[in-house]
Amino acid sequence: MSAPEVYSIAQAPITCHTFNADRSQLALSLNDNNINIYTKQGKEWQVTETLSEHDKAITSVDWAPRTNCIVTASQDRNAYVWSQSLDPNTGRMVWKPTLVLLRINRAATFVRWSPNEDKFAVASGARTIAICSFDPENNWWVARHLKKPIRSTVLSVDWHPNNVLLAAGSADMKARVFSAYIKDVDKRPAPTVWGEKLPFNTVCGEYASLTGGWVHAVGFSPSGDTLAFASHDSSITIVYPGGPMVYTIRLQSLPHVTLTWTAEDTLVAAGHDCQPIVYSGGPGGWSLAGTLDDSATKTGATRVGTVGRLNTAAFNAFRNADTRGHTSETVTDTELHTIHQNTITSVRPHEVGAGGSVARVSTSGVDGKLVIWNVSAVSVGGLAGRLGAMRM
Amino acid sequence: MSHTVDIPPELKSSLRKFRFAKRSQGHAALVVKIDRNELIMKEEEQYDNISIEELAEELPENSPRYVVLSYELKHSDGRTSFPLVLVNWAPTTCEIKMMTLHASALIEFQNTADVSKVIEVRDGPDGLTKETIDAKLLS
């Protein structure tokens, strides 16, 4: 089961993807206003339904495993919650949308259900995060805003396991941890390393990477005691609030835009490098462990430590022309040596293994491919030579 | 002026009794909600000798209400009066249909309760404080 499963879904970029609870169905958006629901039939994914309600491109989607509700966020400043119900006319299960008025005046950029699936957080370009909870008395979703002290677009959010704390990465180059406690929905949470007695919109911590840069992705570890974020200055930062200890790993390659924790001491990040990279460590320090894409390291004549994009035959042809004076080599191979041919925009946990840690992750990217990787298949290969040059 | 929500006679007598009740100290409040299924107003709760902060806690955060408030107002010259104020409690997180219904019935309710001063509270518990009410009444 070591080889990654590669699915070419479409010739269009996959903006976002999410699986249902038993991984038999997949919901994703192909850079347009609709969500396509795919069902696994044999070895391929076939479209079984299309959810159309948004007026502009969908930016993010999330499928709640227990309640089986899908939430979608779009550039049209709205979010819809989709739930399945029996259609009386045809007798089939259909997805019905419920509009959620977020009261934001810019696009929604990212959405995630909370661990108990009774709230969801929507990041937006309006410098706010809308925390939405269901009000049964009025039968509608109420949105409350986390505003201060966010100064720019919020690019990604992640919930803490206690259903109250929320991490947010923003274009103002900061990663923050907020309290999103909603009065009638949450019970008073137990104290955590992030603080205790936290009313709505309390900032439990604000972090920036060494040289700054938009924070593209944030993630709490499975226990919630550690925060990791990836920023545009090509670094991954891991924060232990107890110390506080902050470890920054600087990459020699292009920035990561998405990350997910697989265990308390391992995380997988992916981005403009077109391959998922594994990092591991603990309170004593963190380091790069390797890549999940061994096709990137197998190709013989590649330079050690160079990035997928810089390893193409096209680049080699120009390099040969420059250093060795070779010319007129017609470039026939424009394919990258990695499985993904373009930026990976989303990495999500796919399968939980025996020990409780994530065994497989799924990635989707701008090339229209969906790939499911085995997390333990880490190849050190081409990245080994660069380990010594890392900063801690 | 079209008529959207009914005001039942029990509510009218309740309002009259609230208006003429003898007050010695503290604020008293009568909270009225609209039943959207039957389209009539109902008295939800009455509070006696309650502080404004406590009242703000009791009011629902996501539903509009009319609050007839008998406010203990201390004037700068030492007098204490008990003016009747209508608080239009309408947080922005409320559902839109409910907000529209609530807004359409406000004038009629105000006339029935015979209250001249109306205070709009649109931002939830943070907007209902002793200071804001004092400022509105003493200006």
Side-chain angles (χ1 to χ4, degrees):
Chain A
M1 223 9 185
S2 215
E5 294 172 30
V6 183
Y7 303 102
S8 285
I9 304 285
Q11 291 303 309
I14 299 177
T15 329
C16 46
H17 79 276
T18 180
F19 285 90
N20 68 344
D22 59 6
R23 309 309 192 220
S24 60
Q25 288 191 307
L26 164 68
L28 55 80
S29 175
L30 294 170
N31 210 26
D32 62 2
N33 307 358
N34 310 317
I35 291 279
N36 296 329
I37 307 243
Y38 294 76
T39 311
K40 192 91 185 276
Q41 281 160 9
K43 279 191 165 284
E44 290 302 317
W45 293 93
Q46 304 291 339
V47 183
T48 49
E49 213 167 332
T50 303
L51 310 179
S52 299
E53 201 73 28
H54 281 290
D55 301 319
K56 288 234 194 94
I58 292 178
T59 51
S60 183
V61 67
D62 199 18
W63 200 321
R66 285 187 297 268
T67 55
N68 206 40
C69 289
I70 298 179
V71 62
T72 54
S74 156
Q75 291 173 3
D76 64 0
R77 298 169 279 123
N78 293 332
Y80 280 95
V81 174
W82 303 79
S83 55
Q84 266 194 321
S85 55
L86 199 58
D87 182 14
N89 300 335
T90 59
R92 287 167 60 240
M93 296 294 278
V94 286
W95 287 96
K96 289 221 163 58
T98 307
L99 173 66
V100 179
L101 261 186
L102 302 170
R103 293 179 293 118
I104 53 179
N105 53 9
R106 292 291 186 279
T109 56
F110 201 82
V111 67
R112 282 293 179 263
W113 284 105
S114 70
N116 295 348
E117 294 163 30
D118 49 6
K119 306 189 287 190
F120 57 89
V122 185
S124 75
R127 301 152 30 148
T128 63
I129 303 170
I131 307 292
C132 306
S133 55
F134 193 69
D135 181 16
E137 187 195 326
N138 290 317
N139 197 32
W140 97 317
W141 290 88
V142 173
R144 292 201 63 190
H145 288 175
L146 290 169
K147 276 178 102 56
K148 294 197 195 329
I150 306 174
R151 307 299 306 154
S152 186
T153 304
V154 184
L155 298 169
S156 110
V157 292
D158 188 42
W159 287 94
H160 187 281
N162 73 358
N163 211 60
V164 171
L165 296 171
L166 184 77
S170 167
D172 62 1
M173 313 201 283
K174 296 271 194 291
R176 297 181 181 88
V177 178
F178 289 96
S179 159
Y181 173 80
I182 303 279
K183 204 163 72 164
D184 295 311
V185 174
D186 295 310
K187 292 181 206 28
R188 279 249 160 260
T192 62
V193 290
W194 300 98
E196 48 178 86
K197 218 179 182 358
L198 306 163
F200 188 80
N201 210 349
T202 317
V203 182
C204 307
E206 188 174 290
Y207 310 99
S209 71
L210 233 51
T211 40
W214 287 10
V215 178
H216 286 291
V218 288
F220 276 113
S221 65
S223 69
D225 294 336
T226 319
L227 175 74
F229 60 92
S231 49
H232 203 76
D233 59 350
S234 285
S235 68
I236 296 260
T237 311
I238 293 108
V239 177
Y240 290 88
M245 290 167 310
V246 177
Y247 298 110
T248 305
I249 307 174
R250 303 187 90 178
L251 291 68
Q252 298 303 322
S253 46
L254 298 176
H256 292 309
V257 295
T258 175
L259 67 83
T260 184
W261 287 78
T262 50
E264 201 58 33
D265 58 357
T266 335
L267 64 89
V268 174
H272 296 291
D273 247 357
C274 316
Q275 50 184 319
I277 313 272
V278 180
Y279 297 87
S280 65
W286 275 76
S287 65
L288 188 149
T291 172
L292 290 180
D293 198 339
D294 56 0
S295 56
T297 58
K298 265 195 204 131
T299 45
T302 58
R303 224 161 51 163
V304 164
T306 46
V307 163
R309 279 215 181 95
L310 301 182
N311 259 344
T312 57
F315 189 82
N316 290 335
F318 286 112
R319 186 165 20 98
N320 287 337
D322 172 43
T323 55
R324 300 174 203 165
H326 292 173
T327 51
S328 76
E329 295 229 4
T330 46
V331 175
T332 46
D333 180 17
T334 50
E335 241 189 51
L336 295 183
H337 295 138
T338 50
I339 293 181
H340 273 288
Q341 294 298 301
N342 211 323
T343 307
I344 296 175
T345 50
S346 175
V347 62
R348 306 197 75 166
H350 192 255
E351 194 183 297
V352 179
S357 61
V358 176
R360 298 207 290 166
V361 290
S362 57
T363 57
S364 66
V366 178
D367 54 356
K369 285 209 178 98
L370 177 85
V371 184
I372 299 172
W373 310 84
N374 188 343
V375 167
S376 46
V378 181
S379 336
V380 180
L383 300 159
R386 290 297 185 176
L387 270 173
M390 249 178 352
R391 263 185 50 178
M392 284 298 209
Chain B
M1 193 65 230
S2 59
H3 170 89
T4 47
V5 185
D6 290 320
I7 306 178
E10 315 85 71
L11 183 60
K12 287 188 193 165
S13 57
S14 208
L15 283 165
R16 224 175 298 122
K17 257 196 240 111
F18 184 83
R19 182 191 193 76
F20 295 119
K22 262 262 183 267
R23 302 216 191 278
S24 48
Q25 61 165 338
H27 322 296
L30 177 66
V31 181
V32 177
K33 73 178 281 195
I34 295 180
D35 186 336
R36 71 192 292 186
N37 297 324
E38 296 170 40
L39 286 180
I40 63 168
M41 293 194 207
K42 287 207 173 100
E43 177 186 331
E44 192 184 36
E45 190 97 51
Q46 256 202 53
Y47 301 102
D48 219 359
N49 202 3
I50 190 177
S51 78
I52 298 296
E53 282 70 37
E54 275 167 28
L55 180 63
E57 287 280 306
E58 291 287 328
L59 289 169
E61 270 191 44
N62 306 314
S63 260
R65 295 282 185 271
Y66 301 123
V67 185
V68 183
L69 181 65
S70 165
Y71 187 75
E72 184 185 1
L73 182 64
K74 293 189 169 48
H75 295 257
S76 50
D77 51 5
R79 288 182 299 130
T80 307
S81 68
F82 293 89
L84 217 55
V85 185
L86 176 60
V87 177
N88 187 13
W89 174 261
T92 43
T93 48
C94 297
E95 206 233 317
I96 300 292
K97 290 201 186 83
M98 206 50 204
M99 293 270 264
T100 318
L101 204 56
H102 180 88
S104 67
L106 174 66
I107 299 284
E108 202 174 327
F109 182 76
Q110 193 189 343
N111 293 338
T112 309
D114 197 11
V115 181
S116 52
K117 198 104 181 96
V118 180
I119 297 180
E120 300 263 337
V121 178
R122 299 245 163 224
D123 39 357
D126 300 323
L128 185 64
T129 59
K130 197 173 177 310
E131 289 76 33
T132 42
I133 303 184
D134 277 336
K136 290 265 167 59
L137 290 179
L138 291 171
S139 60

